[in-house]
Amino acid sequence: MSKRIGLYQRVRVEGGGRRTVSQAGAVLLVETVRKVGLDTAISAAMAPWRKPRAVHDPGKVLLDVALGVALGGDCLADVAMLRAEADAFGPVASDPTVSRLIDVLAAAGPQALTAIRTARAEVRTRVWELAGADSPAADGGVIVDIDGVLVLAHSEKQDATATWKKTFGHHPLVAFVYHGQAGSGEPVAALLRPGDAGSNTATDHIATTQLALAQLPRHLRRGRQTLIRTDSAGGTHAFLDWLTRRGRWLSYSVGMTITDTIHQAVLKIPKKAWTPAYDAGGTERPGAWVAEITDMPDLSTWPKGMRLIVRKERPHPGAQLRFTDVDGLRLTCFATNTNGGQLAALELRHRRRARCEDRIRGARDTGLRNLPLHDSAQNRIWLEIVSLALDLLAWMPMLALTGKNRRWKPKKLRLRLFSAAAQLVTTGRTRRLRFTTRWPWTGEITRTIDRLSALPSPG
């Protein structure tokens, strides 16, 4: 009779290993940093804050923290995972040094934020050039999605207040560039706001849009080729007037609240004016229709060229109807200044704004679940660190992953690629990381590093 030992093989555990590198898959992010020139750009941006005899470059300190966040860290101290692997990531500053740098940058205020953002914008232009046909602006246009996110606070922090959802924390506005069906998205703005900040505050939407436009290549910062998408929080006179002001001429697709005026206009739409809506794949969606009501309500006080498009559909099981719905059908409305095009295609383009929620979930998994510092000035620097981490998590797949793998979210990237360990082997003057053949995604790791290595070096 054999003795049962359980479902798993017993393994004895001990310390003392030296030649194995943990989180070795993070070399994909390090190689991305090197190939796009982010290290030199951030180093130059942080030069004013480097002391004459400083051992650590402030730019590398900032990048190390961003790499730690990209690997799943949620506080400054999590940079320790890189410090433990100096052979792979180089010398990493101590926790006190990191904290002092954050305090110094926070004290510098807008000057430090502008320096970091300018470096990111400079590198973003190079990344999109390297990406070529995979760039989000490959067709000559770009889409920027703006949305709010609630970040809960579990202790007293500056500007943490009660939110509209009866929670406690902050209410930042964030903006992401849409990468289309084949990709994910990358952050271009993060505006820290108190928890009680309004959802439809036009000045905040304008400030966020300004930050986002400054991150785009110069030729995309104005003109109809740049589309700003928001939910109904952006459907205000002041925001749309700003977007369409002479010399700016941006395109927009913003949700609109179903007012009584819009509701009455919908009731007057003849049955033959409704056309079938599209599903996510671009084919007709049963039980959903769209129609245009631009000529029905009085739009004289709104920007010229604004079109109103409404959608009605059968609500999904369990959905609660609103008093503005008609005949048991859910109504939604959006405004756009795009001329021409099928109504169903314009409505599908607007509905894809919902993918911004995926970007927000990815941001929550990448340092935005909480703001770890007390002062708002410090947490603004933290938001820039999170943005750097999200940039890397978007740029690496865009430049080196193919097919469905390009849409891997941060959690999947960490599980399959970054968490892989490797053996560090020194041959002559060359250091090599050898990933085990048993790891299911070793082939993907090696192919990705080969694609990154093949890219031209900056400068």
Side-chain angles (χ1 to χ4, degrees), residues 162-450:
T163 71
W164 62 276
K165 278 196 172 182
K166 303 187 185 301
T167 56
F168 181 79
H170 298 81
H171 187 192
L173 271 181
V174 294
F176 290 86
V177 169
Y178 179 61
H179 279 195
Q181 296 276 68
S184 56
E186 58 190 280
V188 285
L191 181 69
L192 184 62
R193 305 189 303 166
D196 57 0
S199 296
N200 58 350
T201 305
T203 54
D204 291 342
H205 277 78
I206 292 171
T208 303
T209 306
Q210 289 174 323
L211 292 176
L213 293 174
Q215 286 294 308
L216 303 181
R218 192 169 298 277
H219 69 281
L220 293 173
R221 296 178 184 176
R222 64 180 62 194
R224 286 294 185 91
Q225 73 275 14
T226 299
L227 175 73
I228 306 298
R229 283 193 309 204
T230 74
D231 57 11
S232 58
T236 61
H237 284 76
F239 183 51
L240 294 185
D241 287 341
W242 185 88
L243 290 175
T244 56
R245 189 166 299 165
R246 184 178 178 84
R248 196 168 289 120
W249 296 307
L250 297 168
S251 295
Y252 61 82
S253 181
V254 302
M256 299 293 286
T257 302
I258 302 291
T259 62
D260 183 63
T261 301
I262 293 176
H263 185 256
Q264 293 301 320
V266 171
L267 295 177
K268 298 176 183 178
I269 300 175
K271 188 174 182 179
K272 63 180 180 181
W274 291 97
T275 60
Y278 289 163
D279 60 17
T283 58
E284 290 189 6
R285 178 185 178 91
W289 303 266
V290 293
E292 185 168 0
I293 59 169
T294 302
D295 297 331
M296 295 183 179
D298 181 12
L299 301 179
S300 59
T301 60
W302 292 87
K304 292 182 179 179
M306 188 177 91
R307 303 171 65 187
L308 281 181
I309 299 172
V310 293
R311 168 191 172 98
K312 66 178 182 179
E313 66 175 333
R314 299 189 187 100
H316 62 271
Q320 186 175 2
L321 291 175
R322 297 168 294 196
F323 72 91
T324 54
D325 295 334
V326 176
D327 297 330
L329 299 175
R330 172 63 53 86
L331 287 182
T332 55
C333 179
F334 73 98
T336 183
N337 60 348
T338 300
N339 295 322
Q342 292 184 342
L343 295 183
L346 293 176
E347 194 275 333
L348 176 61
R349 182 189 68 176
H350 178 75
R351 193 153 31 94
R352 282 177 174 157
R353 187 208 64 82
R355 290 183 179 170
C356 185
E357 298 294 337
D358 288 336
R359 308 289 80 78
I360 290 175
R361 279 190 288 271
R364 289 184 184 278
D365 294 332
T366 313
L368 199 58
R369 188 165 299 280
N370 69 293
L371 299 177
L373 306 171
H374 178 272
D375 295 346
S376 291
Q378 295 172 322
N379 282 323
R380 288 189 182 94
I381 301 297
W382 177 259
L383 283 183
E384 293 306 313
I385 291 172
V386 170
S387 296
L388 277 169
L390 291 170
D391 277 337
L392 292 175
L393 293 175
W395 291 344
M396 188 276 289
M398 183 166 62
L399 293 174
L401 294 184
T402 58
K404 294 182 179 179
N405 297 359
R406 267 197 66 196
R407 298 183 62 180
W408 282 357
K409 298 176 182 178
K411 278 188 175 181
K412 186 169 289 188
L413 288 171
R414 293 179 195 124
L415 176 65
R416 297 187 173 184
L417 303 184
F418 305 151
S419 65
Q423 182 183 17
L424 182 64
V425 179
T426 303
T427 305
R429 296 182 180 180
T430 304
R431 292 179 178 179
R432 300 177 183 273
L433 284 174
R434 288 182 178 171
F435 292 86
T436 175
T437 56
R438 296 191 301 271
W439 187 249
W441 299 281
T442 290
E444 188 62 43
I445 293 173
T446 56
R447 287 190 295 271
T448 301
I449 200 70
D450 288 342

Side-chain angles (χ1 to χ4, degrees), residues 95-106:
D95 288 347
T97 300
V98 173
S99 296
R100 283 195 297 270
L101 175 62
I102 299 302
D103 290 341
V104 169
L105 296 179

